[in-house]
Amino acid sequence: MGAACCSDAKQAVETVTEDIDQHGIKAVIEDKAAEVADAAKDAAQKVQETAAQVAKDIDEKGIVVVAHDATQSAEASAVDAAKVAAKDATEAANATMDAAVAAVTGVMIVEFVNEKGTIQKVDFKTKKIGITFGLGGGGCCGPTGPAKVVVKSVGKASQAETLGVKSKWSIKAVNGVLVTGVQQAEKLLREGADKLSEA
């Protein structure tokens, strides 16, 4: 600190001392307290004015941003819903087509999902399809997620082996009907195979 700083401090002390001598210590303290209170009041007023300006800016500019963001979010949700609806409609149309093709051609169309998640459609033409199946996935030691009906084994030289069916493939649908459990899969496969030729 330089001499000017010390000089200013010395002058301030002399001024306060003179005020105390002239008005008494109580009056000087009350006066200084009033000055601090006024300064605090001014600072509080500036904070309120700044807060009011920020609120005004948000009202004028921020709402537009918030509304824009909400609009984009709503548009994205609508697009997602449309995609899901289109996918569902496509799957329903495909299922209807599979059922119609199976009825007209005398085959049983089974949709499998292979290990990579790709759907494989297989057209069985005779009753002896050559697979055993059971419940897979969803167990404590197996893959997580809902349990699925999976091919447990494929018979040697069977129709399924000839058509490329592999064990561990899950059964998604039979003649366009989605498979939801082992008993239903068994029923669908039995009913579908009953309509097929012997050899």
Side-chain angles (χ1 to χ4, degrees), residues 119-171:
I119 295 174
Q120 303 287 329
K121 281 190 182 184
V122 177
D123 295 355
F124 289 97
K125 295 178 173 87
T126 62
K127 290 182 186 274
K128 295 183 181 179
I129 61 175
I131 62 171
T132 59
F133 55 91
L135 203 55
C140 67
C141 301
T144 58
K148 298 174 183 170
V149 177
V150 297
V151 175
K152 294 293 185 180
S153 65
V154 178
K156 293 286 182 195
S158 68
Q159 182 180 192
E161 184 181 57
T162 303
L163 294 171
V165 177
K166 306 286 184 211
S167 62
K168 297 184 183 174
W169 282 10
S170 63
I171 302 173

Side-chain angles (χ1 to χ4, degrees), residues 80-105:
D80 289 344
K83 286 179 183 178
V84 168
K87 182 181 177 194
D88 290 347
T90 301
E91 287 181 5
N94 286 339
T96 302
M97 289 302 294
D98 285 348
V101 168
V104 171
T105 62

Side-chain angles (χ1 to χ4, degrees), residues 177-199:
V177 179
L178 290 177
V179 171
T180 59
V182 173
Q183 291 176 340
Q184 183 216 22
E186 188 175 285
K187 179 181 180 225
L188 291 171
L189 289 168
R190 185 178 58 250
E191 289 174 353
D194 285 346
K195 296 176 185 172
L196 301 176
S197 66
E198 290 292 331

Side-chain angles (χ1 to χ4, degrees), residues 9-171:
K10 194 175 193 181
Q11 179 62 41
V13 168
E14 287 177 9
T15 302
V16 170
T17 303
E18 286 176 18
D19 285 346
I20 290 172
D21 287 343
Q22 288 179 2
H23 306 289
I25 192 160
K26 183 178 178 188
V28 170
I29 291 173
E30 287 174 352
D31 186 47
K32 293 297 177 187
E35 286 177 18
V36 169
D38 286 343
K41 191 186 251 183
D42 289 344
Q45 181 64 33
K46 285 182 183 177
V47 168
Q48 286 177 338
E49 289 170 2
T50 303
Q53 184 62 45
V54 167
K56 182 180 175 189
D57 289 347
I58 288 173
D59 283 345
E60 292 173 356
K61 299 173 189 170
I63 300 257
V64 172
V65 171
V66 170
H68 179 68
D69 290 348
T71 301
Q72 283 183 327
S73 178
E75 288 172 357
S77 294
V79 168
D80 289 344
K83 286 179 183 178
V84 168
K87 182 181 177 194
D88 290 347
T90 301
E91 287 181 5
N94 286 339
T96 302
M97 289 302 294
D98 285 348
V101 168
V104 171
T105 62
V107 298
M108 177 174 61
I109 301 170
V110 180
E111 286 184 46
F112 296 95
V113 179
N114 67 20
E115 304 87 13
K116 295 180 181 178
T118 304
I119 295 174
Q120 303 287 329
K121 281 190 182 184
V122 177
D123 295 355
F124 289 97
K125 295 178 173 87
T126 62
K127 290 182 186 274
K128 295 183 181 179
I129 61 175
I131 62 171
T132 59
F133 55 91
L135 203 55
C140 67
C141 301
T144 58
K148 298 174 183 170
V149 177
V150 297
V151 175
K152 294 293 185 180
S153 65
V154 178
K156 293 286 182 195
S158 68
Q159 182 180 192
E161 184 181 57
T162 303
L163 294 171
V165 177
K166 306 286 184 211
S167 62
K168 297 184 183 174
W169 282 10
S170 63
I171 302 173

